Amino acid sequence: MSADESRAWLLIGYRAPAQPSTARVSTWRRLHRLGAVYVGASTCLLPAGAADDAALSALAAGVTEAGGSFDLYPIDAMSIPAHRALVARANADRDAEYAEVVERAEALVTELATESARGKFTFAEVEENEADLAKLRRWLATVGARDRYGAGGRAAAERAVDRAAQRMQEFTERSAGADHPPSVGPARPDRGR
């Protein structure tokens, strides 16, 4: 990627009817999921290449079909200071998301410790907590996919999810052990004493 391409962005401005709020909220959510940096109400910058033409067309259709408008302006390059400021804002957004991942991973570790202290080593607990861990992993992958500029919080989030996975493995092993106690040796036939 050339220096000019790395500073390419898409300026997006949209207007959607206030009521119903469906188109406005949907567009806002979808743009955030793509990694947009909002610079004003219904105005954002999206890193070039963060969305393909089909995704952008679907966004535009959703707003215009609801009676609004959607404008997209490619910015092939911008000044280095402006680009750095946008990258800093994008990284701050990702770091906030990574911090949420860390918080949720720590909550899972706490939950596992609480259930361990209660001796609640059941299959139901394993299943519930495995689902939470899978959700954490998906969320980390989602945030990582929109982390285009190497936000600093990623490493801490990865460590937190790894720690939660390790605690989950330990909890699962203890649960399996509680469900299947070790055998006490072969049974001896009763010889009719």
Side-chain angles (χ1 to χ4, degrees), residues 15-17 23 27 57-71:
R15 288 176 296 289
T27 302
S57 293
L59 276 167
V63 172
T64 57
E65 288 171 5
S69 65
F70 187 91
D71 299 309

Side-chain angles (χ1 to χ4, degrees), residues 147-189:
D147 182 5
R148 301 177 64 85
Y149 301 107
R154 182 181 198 139
E158 289 172 344
R159 283 192 304 272
V161 171
D162 287 347
R163 181 170 178 251
Q166 178 62 41
R167 295 299 181 272
M168 185 68 232
Q169 179 64 33
E170 293 165 3
F171 185 84
T172 302
E173 288 172 7
R174 286 190 69 187
S175 296
D179 203 24
H180 300 290
S183 63
V184 292
R188 295 186 179 177

Side-chain angles (χ1 to χ4, degrees), residues 29-128:
R29 289 178 74 149
R30 291 168 74 185
L31 285 166
H32 269 286
R33 284 185 183 133
L34 291 170
V37 176
Y38 272 76
V39 294
S42 300
T43 306
C44 62
L45 286 152
L46 183 66
D52 60 18
D53 290 340
L56 293 170
S57 293
L59 276 167
V63 172
T64 57
E65 288 171 5
S69 65
F70 187 91
D71 299 309
L72 185 141
Y73 304 97
I75 300 173
D76 293 328
M78 60 179 60
S79 72
I80 291 172
H83 176 71
R84 285 183 181 153
L86 282 172
V87 167
R89 288 184 61 188
N91 282 343
D93 289 347
R94 298 302 75 77
D95 283 339
E97 292 172 327
Y98 285 133
E100 285 290 325
V101 171
V102 169
E103 185 177 310
R104 297 285 173 91
E106 289 171 351
L108 177 56
V109 168
T110 300
E111 166 74 9
L112 292 168
T114 299
E115 298 305 342
S116 292
R118 291 180 181 160
K120 200 170 179 186
F121 299 106
T122 65
F123 180 71
E125 284 298 324
V126 169
E127 251 190 343
E128 175 188 348

